């Protein structure tokens, strides 16, 4: 199938109260693990690329891989640019084949965030590329964006409604108390904010900071309107652990393809577990 944008994928998920997994890939092997896990489970899926990963491989290389994988898949696959502050890179991704982008201007004052998001929506619409934006500040490190605990703040539901009335988004990421990276303690999720924002805006919500949340937290957030569920750190761990684990168990064997296969298996297992948990199996 050709790559899809997020519009139909997320409106179906929001209506059906399930979450579409959005997995941050690192290379061809991780992208292959995402598509194969989704295909085996009959699930729609979102391949996410951080701005750093895009810069590392280059747009054309990444799009070539993903179009090839999606073209052979029987489930809907979207290619989404995760947290990006750079309008030049967003434009390049839109022009080379991404079907969805996230503008992260959440560190800016409200009006500036809104103006930059509008600019991206105008850039994206002619190519039918969907847009996600963030309000509030999600704690932790994602790509080159570092938000310290003391600088994090939750989204204000009234501002969230105002934001979504001023710009037409396909997906909205209000900060609700989740964090990027590994949780240091029990996360305190502001379910009341999530519920109010999802209901008042009617926009499918993205749940950031998926790694380390309990099954119960995922289920509750999805039931309240999180239609897109982001997982990055868990893939990074599976990527490294798959490699190291195989090498430690076979340390005299230098067979790179076996190591690559072990990494693939580890990542696919993690991705499949999430797809099942988010309820999107069989929805593709
Ligand atoms: P984790 O790294 O905590 O899984 O968060 C992923 C994310 O939200 C990417 O934007």
């Amino acid at each position: 199938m050709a790559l899809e944008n997020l519009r139909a994928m997320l409106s179906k998920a929001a209506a059906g109260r399930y979450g579409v997994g959005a997995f941050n890939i690192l290379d061809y092997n991780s992208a292959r693990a995402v598509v194969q896990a989704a295909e085996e489970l009959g699930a729609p899926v979102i391949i996410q690329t951080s701005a750093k990963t895009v810069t590392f491989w280059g747009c054309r290389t990444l799009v070539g891989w993903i179009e090839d994988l999606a073209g052979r898949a029987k489930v809907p696959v979207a290619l989404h640019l995760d947290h990006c502050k750079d309008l030049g890179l967003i434009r390049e991704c839109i022009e080379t084949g991404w079907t969805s982008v996230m503008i992260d201007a959440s560190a800016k004052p409200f009006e500036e965030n809104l103006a930059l998001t509008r600019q991206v929506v105008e850039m994206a619409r002619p190519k039918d590329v969907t847009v996600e934006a963030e309000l509030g500040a999600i704690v932790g490190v994602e790509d080159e964006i570092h938000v310290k605990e003391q600088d994090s703040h939750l989204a204000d539901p009234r501002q969230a409604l105002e934001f979504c009335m001023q710009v037409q988004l396909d997906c909205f990421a209000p900060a609700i108390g989740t964090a990027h990276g590994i949780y240091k303690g029990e996360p305190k999720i502001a379910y009341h904010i999530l519920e109010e924002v999802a209901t008042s805006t009617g926009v499918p919500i993205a749940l950031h900071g998926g790694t380390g949340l309990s099954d119960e937290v995922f289920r509750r957030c999805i039931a309240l309107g999180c239609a897109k569920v982001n997982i990055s750190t868990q893939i990074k761990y599976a990527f490294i652990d798959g490699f190291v684990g195989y090498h430690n168990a076979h340390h005299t064997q230098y067979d790179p393809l076996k190591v690559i296969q072990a990494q693939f298996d580890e990542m696919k297992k993690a991705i499949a577990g999430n797809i099942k948990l988010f309820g999107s199996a069989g929805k593709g």
Side-chain angles (χ1 to χ4, degrees), residues 191-232:
Y191 294 107
H192 61 291
I193 295 183
L194 168 59
E195 187 169 20
E196 192 177 337
V197 172
T199 312
S200 70
T201 65
V203 179
I205 304 293
L207 181 64
H208 281 253
T211 301
L213 295 177
S214 68
D215 293 5
E216 167 59 20
V217 171
F218 278 126
R219 288 200 188 96
R220 210 166 151 193
C221 290
I222 291 168
L224 290 173
C226 289
K228 172 175 180 275
V229 187
N230 288 5
I231 303 285
S232 174

Side-chain angles (χ1 to χ4, degrees), residues 89-112:
L89 187 62
I90 292 178
R91 185 183 295 282
E92 208 183 328
C93 287
I94 291 172
E95 279 166 6
T96 42
W98 266 251
T99 53
S100 190
V101 293
M102 176 183 188
I103 162 75
D104 184 351
S106 59
K108 308 264 185 212
F110 182 88
E111 287 302 333
E112 226 175 304

Side-chain angles (χ1 to χ4, degrees), residues 118-235:
R118 273 208 195 100
Q119 234 177 299
V120 170
V121 168
E122 275 162 28
M123 219 190 269
R125 285 294 174 253
K127 291 265 191 186
D128 201 26
V129 167
T130 45
V131 177
E132 175 182 343
E134 176 177 328
L135 191 70
I138 300 172
V139 74
V141 180
E142 183 53 52
D143 202 6
E144 303 288 281
I145 302 172
H146 300 237
V147 179
K148 294 201 183 98
E149 188 103 42
Q150 65 268 28
D151 298 328
S152 72
H153 58 273
L154 302 180
D156 170 346
R158 274 173 310 173
Q159 279 200 335
L161 178 59
E162 172 74 14
F163 196 90
C164 292
M165 276 170 42
Q166 298 286 335
V167 63
Q168 207 189 344
L169 294 175
D170 305 287
C171 185
F172 185 45
I176 56 164
T178 56
H180 293 125
I182 299 292
Y183 287 96
K184 293 193 188 77
E186 189 72 22
K188 286 195 194 69
I189 314 294
Y191 294 107
H192 61 291
I193 295 183
L194 168 59
E195 187 169 20
E196 192 177 337
V197 172
T199 312
S200 70
T201 65
V203 179
I205 304 293
L207 181 64
H208 281 253
T211 301
L213 295 177
S214 68
D215 293 5
E216 167 59 20
V217 171
F218 278 126
R219 288 200 188 96
R220 210 166 151 193
C221 290
I222 291 168
L224 290 173
C226 289
K228 172 175 180 275
V229 187
N230 288 5
I231 303 285
S232 174
T233 304
Q234 194 184 0
I235 315 275

